[in-house]
Amino acid sequence: MLIKTDVIVLKKSKFGEGEAILTLFSKKLGKVKAVAKGWKKGKGKNSTTIQPFLYGEAVLFKGKNLYQISQMDLKNSFYKLQEDVIKLGYASYILELTESIIIEGQTNNRLFETLIEVLTEFLSKKSDFITLVKAYEMKLLVYAGYKPEMNICVCCGSSELDKVKFSSRQGGIICRKCFNTDPYAMNISTITMNVIVYLMRTELSQIAKLKIKEEIRKELDKIIKNYIYTQIDKSEFKSLIFLEAIETLK
Ligand SMILES: [Zn+2]
């Protein structure tokens, strides 16, 4: 059976001689693994190497175990991301994070559209891509079912929030009375709380123009990272290790 669907390549792993296994995020099938064998770009003769970030309409068919890509009409290669190594590092993190959170066989069209949108915004010179990463992280969490509670205490439901902490384990803010439920809960400023809510609610194109102050970004970074690691039970991302290595070379 042939399935025609929009896909984006999230990951490529080697598989035998001249073949690769691709992890795709597809609109109709969710996350799927597919073999790229004899794949040709469009109808031309020259086969193009399939790389992560390629976005297009693919025709997939189910082989014995894996899907195979029989055809792909390219919509965007996001090739220009290669021009800036830091930008490419963050864009790679976006793919890696998406790959770790989405589930095989489960569609998520809102997330699919948001992924294409964030990568497109990445190409714009006017966009602040660090802000975009934060926005994408929050939207991904919401669309994948990990929305943190930011309005009331996630433990007792209280709206008396004169002093709060953020608990990754509980999944949101906790009030003073509930501090003892999570010894690892982190301090969070009101402004960081508001930024998180803003990032979850606002259109990416609007967020892209925004530059978050360094100190708020640091707090945001710490909280979101801790939340992601706790919720999806992952301890590292290759792309972030790569980015840290580059930062130390500066
Ligand atoms: Zn409480």
Side-chain angles (χ1 to χ4, degrees):
M1 192 177 68
L2 295 174
I3 300 152
K4 203 174 194 182
T5 175
D6 276 4
V7 301
I8 177 158
V9 180
L10 298 178
K11 196 168 134 185
K12 182 183 181 180
S13 348
K14 250 193 127 186
F15 175 65
E17 216 30 62
E19 282 183 8
I21 290 194
L22 306 169
T23 307
L24 308 172
F25 185 5
S26 72
K27 256 189 147 171
K28 285 193 185 155
L29 302 161
K31 180 159 86 172
V32 284
K33 288 209 162 70
V35 188
K37 198 159 56 176
W39 178 82
K40 307 264 195 291
K41 179 186 161 193
K43 293 188 176 84
K45 274 183 191 165
N46 302 324
S47 80
T48 304
T49 334
I50 306 185
Q51 295 295 349
F53 297 110
L54 275 200
Y55 161 50
E57 188 184 57
V59 178
L60 305 173
F61 68 94
K62 182 97 189 206
K64 233 180 189 172
N65 300 307
L66 296 159
Y67 281 94
Q68 288 201 12
I69 301 179
S70 71
Q71 201 194 317
M72 183 144 158
D73 290 322
L74 203 62
K75 291 189 177 180
N76 199 338
S77 67
F78 294 106
Y79 176 76
K80 285 206 159 171
L81 289 171
Q82 316 275 347
E83 287 172 0
D84 178 339
V85 70
I86 308 255
K87 208 181 233 193
L88 179 65
Y90 279 109
S92 303
Y93 166 64
I94 281 178
L95 292 193
E96 199 182 350
L97 179 64
T98 308
E99 205 269 324
S100 346
I101 221 159
I102 59 171
I103 298 162
E104 277 185 49
Q106 209 173 84
T107 59
N108 196 332
N109 286 349
R110 260 202 312 182
L111 185 59
F112 188 92
E113 300 296 348
T114 309
L115 175 59
I116 302 303
E117 203 187 335
V118 75
L119 294 175
T120 309
E121 285 291 344
F122 251 65
L123 298 178
S124 158
K125 290 218 158 53
K126 286 179 208 142
S127 297
D128 184 277
F129 59 89
I130 308 272
T131 307
L132 277 173
V133 172
K134 294 294 125 210
Y136 182 73
E137 286 174 321
M138 289 319 302
K139 292 189 183 303
L140 172 93
L141 288 165
V142 174
Y143 299 157
Y146 299 96
K147 185 182 179 185
E149 177 57 64
M150 300 303 292
N151 298 316
I152 52 168
C153 171
V154 68
C155 276
C156 70
S158 167
S159 50
E160 266 178 56
L161 305 170
D162 54 316
K163 195 164 176 12
V164 294
K165 284 188 177 182
F166 184 88
S167 165
S168 293
R169 280 203 282 182
Q170 303 283 11
I173 50 167
I174 53 175
C175 75
R176 195 202 297 258
K177 281 182 208 148
C178 298
F179 281 177
N180 61 354
T181 62
D182 181 4
Y184 301 102
M186 296 167 283
N187 290 323
I188 183 167
S189 63
T190 312
I191 185 149
T192 301
M193 275 170 62
N194 292 338
V195 171
I196 289 179
V197 173
Y198 178 83
L199 294 178
M200 291 195 288
R201 280 192 194 151
T202 316
E203 294 281 325
L204 271 176
S205 54
Q206 227 174 308
I207 297 172
K209 293 174 205 135
L210 198 95
K211 202 165 167 66
I212 304 172
K213 269 192 190 158
E214 183 66 16
E215 66 210 78
I216 300 161
R217 197 176 66 80
K218 272 189 183 153
E219 191 179 58
L220 199 61
D221 217 38
K222 184 182 156 200
I223 288 171
I224 299 178
K225 206 177 273 179
N226 187 282
Y227 185 62
I228 290 172
Y229 287 160
T230 309
Q231 292 290 325
I232 70 169
D233 199 19
K234 198 171 161 87
S235 58
E236 61 177 35
F237 287 93
K238 276 187 207 156
S239 44
L240 291 184
I241 294 170
F242 167 77
L243 278 166
E244 275 165 27
I246 290 183
E247 288 294 330
T248 55
L249 289 176
K250 269 186 184 172

